[in-house]
Amino acid sequence: MTLRSKFKSSSEKANKGVEIEFRGKDELNSDGSYAVFTLARQSTQNKKWLADVRSFNEKMYEKHGVTGQEKLSDEEKTKRAIELFCNTVLIGWKDFEAEEDSVKTVFSIEKAIEIFSNPDWNDLYERLSTESGRKENFNIDLMDKMSKN
């Protein structure tokens, strides 16, 4: 493994997103399809995410004299994290059945915030948030190898 293959990632993919597929045998939809989520990178490499974080910090400083979330309650921090994720990281989804009626849920930022604000969906939110921060998902060499196959 080289330093490049270990650390260099694609700024384009970090901003435009990569598809994360759920293909486990216990992740199959009722029609045999699998859910696919498109995620931008949750890092400073993602310009939209970075701008939102900076803007929030500036507003917190103006209002409270501190940056970050020190003055927020735990509920407000959770709400802020979900909104940040849905507005700047989650680009979309395909074949996601959020309800038990087997109907595919149409993506919108508002719908995503509604779903991930429900504590019953916390595990999926946490998994997607983790995937959006994993450098391996945005790695240059890995993407090069996949595109050649």
Side-chain angles (χ1 to χ4, degrees):
M1 176 177 275
T2 66
L3 191 65
R4 178 185 189 276
S5 66
K6 185 173 182 180
F7 290 106
K8 190 169 183 185
S9 58
S10 167
S11 292
E12 180 180 357
K13 292 292 182 184
N15 288 279
K16 291 185 178 180
V18 296
E19 289 188 342
I20 304 296
E21 298 177 287
F22 284 75
R23 292 204 166 267
K25 63 181 178 180
D26 59 343
E27 297 168 339
L28 191 64
N29 285 328
S30 59
D31 66 358
S33 64
Y34 293 94
V36 178
F37 295 84
T38 305
L39 304 174
R41 191 162 187 195
Q42 191 166 255
S43 78
T44 56
Q45 199 174 21
N46 175 342
K47 293 179 187 342
K48 191 174 178 183
W49 181 87
L50 183 59
D52 189 292
V53 169
R54 284 183 175 159
S55 173
F56 177 79
N57 284 340
E58 288 169 4
K59 288 175 188 168
M60 288 298 290
Y61 188 77
E62 288 171 9
K63 187 174 182 179
H64 301 290
V66 296
T67 58
Q69 301 183 24
E70 294 88 5
K71 295 284 186 178
L72 300 179
S73 69
D74 287 344
E75 287 176 0
E76 291 171 318
K77 288 176 186 176
T78 299
K79 181 178 186 251
R80 166 72 182 138
I82 289 169
E83 289 174 352
L84 177 65
F85 178 82
C86 292
N87 280 301
T88 65
V89 174
L90 181 62
I91 294 171
W93 61 56
K94 295 185 285 192
D95 298 329
F96 175 45
E97 296 177 358
E99 304 297 329
E100 294 189 28
D101 59 7
S102 301
V103 174
K104 303 289 194 286
T105 303
V106 176
F107 176 78
S108 72
I109 292 171
E110 295 77 17
K111 187 65 174 174
I113 291 170
E114 176 189 327
I115 289 169
F116 294 127
S117 294
N118 179 339
D120 295 344
W121 282 106
N122 186 63
D123 291 333
L124 178 60
Y125 165 72
E126 290 293 334
R127 167 79 185 275
L128 292 172
S129 183
T130 297
E131 292 293 336
S132 71
R134 289 185 69 225
K135 67 177 176 54
E136 296 84 1
N137 289 329
F138 304 91
N139 183 278
I140 292 277
D141 284 351
L142 178 62
M143 291 174 359
D144 291 344
K145 287 175 188 172
M146 290 171 58
S147 67
K148 290 176 185 174
N149 292 333

